[in-house]
Amino acid sequence: MSGTDTASFRDKVATVDKEGKRIWIFPQKPKGRFYNARTLLSVFYLFVLFALPFIKYEGHPLFLINVLERKFILFGQIFWPQDFFIFGLGMVIFIIFIALFTVVFGRIFCGWVCPQTIFMELVFRKIEYWIEGDAAAQRVLKNRKWDGDKIFKKVMKWTVFWAISFLIANTFLAYIIGIDELRIVVSDPVNKHFGGFVAIVIFTTLFFFVYSWMREQVCTVVCPYGRMQGVLLDKNSIVVTYDHVRGEPRGKYKKNEERAIGDCIDCNQCVRVCPTGIDIRHGTQLECTNCTACIDACDKMMEAVNLPTGLIRYASENNISTKQPYRFTGRMKAYTAVMILLLVVEVFLLATRTDVGITILRTPGQLYQEQPNNQLSNLYNYKFLNKTYYNKELELKPEDFEGTIKLVGEEKLKVPKESAAAGSMFIYLDKKDVKQRKTKLNIGVYENGEKISTITTSFLGPFGAN
Ligand code: SF4
Ligand code: SF4
């Protein structure tokens, strides 16, 4: 048996023994329609994951998550720290979406989409089966003394694991620094990009460690999402579950014998294939990643003994115990409402997001200045952020006041692509137009004669201005 979970109640993780030592899991290779579907999906998933860093939009990456320079590109759109509230809200929406999804569909994300499961079960584990054989052969190999064959197999496995970890590390880095920068880091001498080299080595080692040693422990012990299942799931959540009504009392299958007990033939196949070492017949458990391996294993056994498949299937606890049809509960409705509201806000923020980030603020500590020709002036600091891939030339015009705007030391306001321009400027007003201590002013920002934004600021006059 792969796992050790035979008790009906557990107060410890299934992969830890009484002494606190780890129990190494040797799951049997799953076979079946769910495993085939997951394999197909993983091929598509991996293709997208590895191809995305190479895809460019207008000469720039389609996706970039450069946390080092706080520069993010999503679907070709650059997001700057100034847009962080949009990005932050997007993350909140994503987390709520995952929570909602979990309430309704359990850990379907873990089994079908999470990179940890995809790489562990559908890449590294497959390689392991290919080199070391199925569960029984792996167990024998582990317990065997180090001979030529064992050394060969282990070295071969670790070499392939290391190579894939290296590939993942490079891809991971490509999402952070971009594929062009990564090419330079990889092709230049090490001493020229020592930081990049160290990052690749660290990430490669980390991925190698995760997939060769940590494995299911990432899902069962480390992952915070896994830990949250206890509060997210309820009896209406659809999870991989054992139909205990149909299956119990379980008993061994005897050929040509009328079956007067439950349908579970106690073959333990569902436990043998489980990569987290649990027995799904004890109900929903924290370690279950909804990988569906036990569904495939059980269906195969049911077919072999001519019983209906689906003894283990996607269903809610209520579906099984009360035969209740699926219900969209109050909690699910509340999550959906919050989700829709946040999505509307996000779409609004994205739709109203401008290509240029602009701030114009009166220079701190400065009052007004007396000027010739009965005029007053105020000094301002401006900052223009060009979020696009093009250089911009902007013009500032008074919107709702008679006055002049003059840049300090600049004729035109030029903002290079993907960067910011900062400086100072004066606004001149006739004294007769300054009727109060603080006058609200609207400044139009124009590009190629077209207004792209209006900025509101204030003009400081003398006390008791008439
Ligand atoms: S109980 Fe079934 S679905 Fe859950 S982790 Fe084990 S094999 Fe996968
Ligand atoms: S695979 Fe199905 S029949 Fe076999 S022990 Fe598990 S639940 Fe019972």
Side-chain angles (χ1 to χ4, degrees):
M1 189 170 108
S2 66
T4 55
D5 183 17
T6 51
S8 58
F9 171 79
R10 284 189 291 116
D11 57 1
K12 62 179 177 58
V13 178
T15 52
V16 176
D17 70 10
K18 280 194 188 119
E19 278 81 47
K21 284 201 191 120
R22 178 168 177 190
I23 302 167
W24 196 267
I25 307 285
F26 295 98
Q28 245 173 34
K29 188 175 181 201
K31 284 188 193 91
R33 62 193 170 111
F34 281 104
Y35 190 63
N36 292 344
R38 286 172 69 222
T39 302
L40 267 180
L41 183 76
S42 72
V43 171
F44 171 74
Y45 182 98
L46 293 171
F47 174 75
V48 172
L49 186 82
F50 288 114
L52 267 186
F54 292 92
I55 301 175
K56 292 195 173 175
Y57 172 74
E58 296 187 348
H60 296 266
L62 194 65
F63 286 93
L64 188 77
I65 305 168
N66 192 339
V67 280
L68 308 172
E69 291 172 12
R70 292 183 297 159
K71 183 178 166 186
F72 304 91
I73 304 178
L74 300 180
F75 299 102
Q77 298 290 313
I78 312 181
F79 288 81
W80 291 83
Q82 284 79 355
D83 294 318
F84 205 76
F85 61 102
I86 301 180
F87 202 72
L89 189 65
M91 294 302 287
V92 171
I93 290 172
F94 179 70
I95 290 166
I96 293 177
F97 183 81
I98 295 278
L100 169 71
F101 210 76
T102 308
V103 170
V104 185
F105 296 108
R107 288 177 82 168
I108 202 164
F109 169 85
C110 299
W112 293 80
V113 189
C114 175
Q116 166 66 17
T117 314
I118 300 264
F119 276 111
M120 185 65 247
E121 301 307 327
L122 298 157
V123 177
F124 287 92
R125 192 89 72 186
K126 276 180 189 259
I127 292 165
E128 199 164 62
Y129 290 134
W130 173 58
I131 296 174
E132 294 188 352
D134 208 342
Q138 286 179 24
R139 199 180 295 106
V140 169
L141 189 73
K142 185 167 195 275
N143 296 327
R144 206 165 82 191
K145 67 173 179 41
W146 284 91
D147 56 13
D149 182 52
K150 182 168 176 174
I151 292 170
F152 174 75
K153 283 183 171 157
K154 290 288 179 194
V155 170
M156 186 162 153
K157 183 177 95 171
W158 290 331
T159 307
V160 178
F161 274 25
W162 187 269
I164 297 173
S165 302
F166 178 74
L167 187 68
I168 302 172
N170 276 277
T171 308
F172 187 65
L173 218 57
Y175 277 100
I176 297 176
I177 60 174
I179 196 74
D180 295 333
E181 192 63 27
L182 180 69
R183 257 194 211 118
I184 296 170
V185 170
V186 174
S187 53
D188 276 2
V190 170
N191 58 352
K192 268 188 146 182
H193 304 281
F194 194 67
F197 170 75
V198 170
I200 291 176
V201 172
I202 290 176
F203 284 136
T204 305
T205 311
L206 189 74
F207 288 124
F208 179 78
F209 173 70
V210 164
Y211 295 116
S212 61
W213 194 82
M214 279 295 283
R215 308 186 145 214
E216 80 289 340
Q217 304 283 308
V218 172
C219 310
T220 59
V221 181
V222 181
C223 176
Y225 178 60
R227 308 274 66 71
M228 280 162 56
Q229 299 308 307
V231 287
L232 291 175
L233 297 180
D234 66 15
K235 289 190 169 183
N236 290 301
S237 306
I238 297 173
V239 287
V240 171
T241 190
Y242 165 68
D243 188 342
H244 56 89
V245 176
R246 192 189 129 192
E248 300 297 319
R250 66 189 77 160
K252 295 288 178 199
Y253 173 74
K254 292 194 185 96
K255 215 175 171 188
N256 302 326
E257 194 187 75
E258 187 77 19
R259 197 163 175 83
I261 52 173
D263 279 356
C264 173
I265 57 169
D266 210 10
C267 62
N268 268 327
Q269 282 304 316
C270 50
V271 186
R272 287 197 182 100
V273 292
C274 180
T276 61
I278 59 171
D279 185 342
I280 193 66
R281 291 173 298 173
H282 299 154
T284 302
Q285 292 149 76
L286 219 59
E287 294 99 325
C288 176
T289 58
N290 277 224
C291 75
T292 69
C294 54
I295 300 183
D296 280 336
C298 189
D299 279 354
K300 202 168 149 225
M301 294 315 294
M302 292 292 105
E303 277 164 9
V305 297
N306 272 329
L307 286 169
T309 56
L311 182 56
I312 301 176
R313 62 179 184 273
Y314 276 118
S316 74
E317 176 60 33
N318 276 342
N319 288 153
I320 300 276
S321 49
T322 64
K323 305 270 181 234
Q324 240 182 48
Y326 175 72
R327 266 189 337 115
F328 198 57
T329 62
R331 186 150 76 130
M332 293 170 187
K333 284 178 193 157
Y335 274 120
T336 310
V338 173
M339 179 81 185
I340 291 171
L341 186 73
L342 287 172
L343 267 178
V344 169
V345 175
E346 183 76 357
V347 169
F348 174 77
L349 290 175
L350 279 172
T352 53
R353 174 183 178 269
T354 55
D355 282 348
V356 187
I358 307 167
T359 43
I360 298 177
L361 295 170
R362 240 179 323 102
T363 306
Q366 292 276 334
L367 296 174
Y368 61 92
Q369 299 87 37
E370 291 278 354
Q371 299 288 355
N373 303 326
N374 257 341
Q375 282 198 314
L376 292 174
S377 70
N378 272 195
L379 182 63
Y380 297 83
N381 292 337
Y382 64 78
K383 191 168 179 186
F384 285 68
L385 182 68
N386 183 353
K387 301 177 192 172
T388 70
Y389 300 123
Y390 311 99
N391 296 330
K392 281 185 182 285
E393 205 170 286
L394 304 172
E395 215 183 326
L396 301 178
K397 292 183 190 173
E399 282 284 288
D400 57 351
F401 62 96
E402 296 284 327
T404 325
I405 300 172
K406 272 193 189 152
L407 304 180
V408 177
E410 306 270 351
E411 272 301 303
K412 298 237 161 139
L413 189 53
K414 291 181 179 160
V415 197
K417 60 182 180 179
E418 298 174 63
S419 54
S424 304
M425 66 181 213
F426 282 103
I427 295 181
Y428 295 84
L429 293 186
D430 286 344
K431 276 185 184 166
K432 66 177 171 46
D433 293 330
V434 184
K435 297 196 169 72
Q436 47 204 345
R437 170 79 172 139
K438 249 187 188 179
T439 309
K440 208 172 111 192
L441 304 179
N442 283 324
I443 302 169
V445 184
Y446 288 77
E447 185 184 12
N448 300 326
E450 218 175 276
K451 189 160 91 174
I452 56 167
S453 182
T454 304
I455 304 296
T456 303
T457 186
S458 63
F459 189 95
L460 209 62
F463 277 109
N466 55 336

